[in-house]
Amino acid sequence: MGTTRSKPGNKTERERLRHQLLGSGCPPARIAVEMAARWQFNLRQAWRYTHGLSQTEVAARCNDLVGDGRAPMTGKRISEYEAWPQRGLRPTVHVLALLARVYGTVPRALLGDDELPLLPESERLVLDQLPQPGTTAVPPEPASVAETEPFGPAAVRAAAHASGLHAERAEVTEVGAITLEQLDHDVVQLARSYILTQPAEIFGELIRVRDRVYQLLRRRAHPAQQSHLYLLAGQTCGLLASASMELGCYGAAAEQSRAAWVYAEVIGHNGLKAWLRGTQALIAFWSGNPREAATLAESGREYLQRGTGFVRLCNIESRAWAHLGDIRETRKVIGMGHQARERATEPDQLHDLVGGEFGFDEARQFFCNAGAWVQVGKPVPAIEAAERALRLYATDAERNRRYGGEASARLEMTDGYLATRDLDAAGASLHPVISTAATTGVAQLATRLSEICATLNTPLYRNSREARELAERIRTHPALTNH
């Protein structure tokens, strides 16, 4: 009777090789590479076998690290990540970072050279900023006593020495607390300065701070410090996305927002995810895709169900539904935004404590309401909302006013008055905007002024001398003459 040959790379062979190489002092990275080369495992499988773990055990350690039981990792999911790219599921950078923590390596070490090009460009960008194979990695999550095998006194002492060596290396960091504190200060100042100036004036400083964060991400750091740096990277890329959008570079804005999203995903920061969904919705809106904008804003409420961030998402969504002509949805989300504003909640770190461009004050809320009501043909509530926004802007301290906020509210008010055929009131509301060149840098100003000129050229006003004179005054504004 013939004997059945064992499959190459079976558990017995893997364990024999693992103990042999460990006994000779080989590091885990060398063992993983040897297993991958000898038995054609991909690197995610090879690293798991290097630590002698089952897929279920890896999933359990991932869940312990995340500390979120709502969507636990499973052994089947680990199997799908290991089967990719031939089949299964592509691991995100967040998943790779999680597995790297379990295995005591870096995320890039879990991908073959042929797999890296299959990742989205935004995720490859993040991987480029992470520690690369060959750098010191965090120690792997320790095995439980039940997972270890009985060893003699010499092996026990060797294990203790190895633990001490790892702990000694883990203590070392190249990222100082003062450096992180300074970067926190820089990002807060940039977010708050952003609303007071034109985006072109702050763009260079945003790049400087982002690049400094990228440099630090290449250094050895504790896990908490790395998470802190990813948050800073997400915030700076998010602000760059907003600035790019306001400068009319929508493709660049979308790319910046995708990079920021990956950082938020790596650290599981729901507040930043909610803000980024809103920003992506704005990019879609101003790119001429209101339906996509509505979908993105609505999806952002999955990450934040209350507070300032929720109010912001509702108002962005209302503008999108208004452009789609859906009065019912517009009215609904405007109401949801006001209800959320009235409910007392704990301040959100990003939207409330950092604030600035990450915030969303009541004046901005009423300005958005005015724009939505105008779009769905409700000029009276639009005028009332714009008046409320202007009263709020008038009472704010100068340092808290949003650059262009009053001008934007006046543009919506002008549209409202034109819809009610009150040309005198329209001219009066628009006068502070077109009588000064200081408003030139207001986002989308040229577009909005052109739209008002188009309204003044409709049959309703075509025979009006006052309408022609107002249109001529608008056309002499630098925003249009330089456009």
Side-chain angles (χ1 to χ4, degrees):
M1 183 173 178
T3 58
T4 302
R5 297 190 61 185
S6 299
K7 180 182 178 182
N10 60 60
K11 184 174 182 180
T12 301
E13 290 185 345
R14 295 196 308 266
E15 288 298 288
R16 184 185 300 118
L17 177 64
R18 184 166 78 92
H19 287 298
Q20 176 187 340
L21 294 179
L22 283 172
S24 63
C26 281
R30 178 72 184 84
I31 298 172
V33 170
E34 179 63 27
M35 285 193 177
R38 183 173 298 196
W39 293 305
Q40 303 303 305
F41 298 141
N42 69 40
L43 288 169
R44 293 173 297 289
Q45 291 174 299
W47 272 98
R48 178 167 62 81
Y49 293 145
T50 293
H51 290 285
L53 297 172
S54 69
Q55 292 169 338
T56 301
E57 288 166 341
V58 171
R61 294 191 185 190
C62 288
N63 291 330
D64 287 342
L65 284 172
V66 173
D68 186 354
R70 292 176 299 174
M73 188 73 77
T74 63
K76 184 177 184 300
R77 182 60 63 88
I78 297 297
S79 174
E80 291 177 336
Y81 292 140
E82 291 183 355
W84 181 82
Q86 286 75 24
R87 57 186 187 280
L89 187 67
R90 178 181 65 80
T92 64
V93 170
H94 172 67
V95 168
L96 291 171
L98 198 57
L99 292 174
R101 287 282 306 281
V102 171
Y103 299 143
T105 185
V106 296
R108 178 63 183 85
L110 301 177
L111 290 172
D113 291 339
D114 58 333
E115 295 174 333
L116 184 63
L118 303 178
L119 266 61
E121 183 179 356
S122 57
E123 297 199 12
R124 294 200 302 273
L125 173 66
V126 174
L127 282 175
D128 286 343
Q129 308 306 321
L130 296 174
Q132 299 300 302
T135 60
T136 301
V138 296
E141 292 301 303
S144 67
V145 174
E147 294 167 356
T148 60
E149 301 177 21
F151 290 98
V156 172
R157 286 194 297 273
H161 294 328
S163 296
L165 179 60
H166 273 291
E168 179 182 329
R169 290 174 177 170
E171 279 187 316
V172 178
T173 177
E174 297 175 333
V175 179
I178 299 301
T179 300
L180 288 174
E181 184 179 328
Q182 180 61 50
L183 286 169
D184 277 336
H185 172 79
D186 290 346
V187 170
V188 169
Q189 290 302 113
L190 285 167
R192 294 175 182 175
S193 299
Y194 185 103
I195 65 173
L196 305 176
T197 186
Q198 297 182 32
E201 295 178 13
I202 205 169
F203 204 89
E205 185 65 9
L206 282 169
I207 292 174
R208 183 192 71 79
V209 174
R210 182 206 60 183
D211 289 351
R212 176 63 176 148
V213 172
Y214 282 174
Q215 290 171 4
L216 292 170
L217 277 168
R218 296 189 184 100
R219 297 183 181 180
R220 182 189 299 176
H222 294 154
Q225 293 172 325
Q226 278 203 324
S227 293
H228 195 149
L229 288 168
Y230 286 137
L231 175 59
L232 291 166
Q235 290 172 327
T236 51
C237 286
L239 292 173
L240 282 166
S242 282
S244 300
M245 174 184 65
E246 294 197 30
L247 291 169
C249 300
Y250 300 118
E255 189 170 356
Q256 291 281 6
S257 74
R258 285 193 294 270
W261 179 267
V262 173
Y263 298 126
E265 181 78 9
V266 167
I267 59 177
H269 197 293
N270 284 344
L272 182 55
K273 287 183 185 179
W275 186 84
L276 286 167
R277 276 293 184 253
T279 301
Q280 290 168 342
L282 285 171
I283 295 167
F285 179 82
W286 290 112
S287 299
N289 298 304
R291 187 166 298 280
E292 181 184 356
T295 300
L296 285 166
E298 183 179 6
S299 71
R301 291 193 259 126
E302 170 187 346
Y303 304 102
L304 210 58
Q305 289 85 38
R306 61 182 67 85
T308 303
F310 184 89
V311 174
R312 176 176 179 262
L313 288 164
C314 288
N315 280 272
I316 294 170
E317 187 181 346
S318 73
R319 298 292 298 270
W321 284 122
H323 272 259
L324 292 168
D326 193 323
I327 297 178
R328 186 180 67 83
E329 286 297 320
T330 301
R331 190 186 305 276
K332 183 183 82 172
V333 289
I334 285 177
M336 287 168 56
H338 284 289
Q339 290 170 11
R341 177 77 71 183
E342 292 166 2
R343 287 196 296 268
T345 59
E346 289 294 320
D348 175 77
Q349 176 67 34
L350 184 67
H351 292 86
D352 298 312
L353 301 185
V354 176
E357 178 61 9
F358 293 118
F360 195 82
D361 60 23
E362 195 173 6
R364 197 172 179 188
Q365 181 176 7
F366 277 102
F367 149 63
C368 285
N369 291 170
W373 288 128
V374 163
Q375 192 64 37
V376 294
K378 299 290 183 182
V380 174
I383 293 168
E384 291 172 350
E387 288 174 341
R388 179 69 181 274
L390 290 173
R391 286 197 298 272
L392 288 166
Y393 281 126
T395 58
D396 275 354
E398 188 66 32
R399 60 187 174 85
N400 290 329
R401 292 191 182 191
R402 181 176 183 83
Y403 178 82
E406 292 172 68
S408 298
R410 286 187 175 280
L411 290 167
E412 304 299 350
M413 180 182 285
T414 300
D415 272 342
Y417 280 127
L418 288 176
T420 62
R421 305 185 183 185
D422 192 339
L423 190 58
D424 290 339
S429 64
L430 191 59
H431 176 73
V433 180
I434 59 176
S435 62
T436 175
T439 56
T440 303
V442 176
Q444 288 85 38
L445 178 66
T447 300
R448 297 291 287 108
L449 289 177
S450 296
E451 290 170 350
I452 291 172
C453 281
T455 300
L456 292 170
N457 196 41
T458 59
L460 183 64
Y461 291 109
R462 189 169 295 160
N463 297 323
S464 167
R465 178 176 57 83
E466 291 83 358
R468 289 195 299 274
E469 290 175 352
L470 180 57
E472 186 57 35
R473 287 176 58 204
I474 293 171
R475 292 189 188 98
T476 61
H477 191 276
L480 291 182
T481 58
N482 299 328
H483 191 59

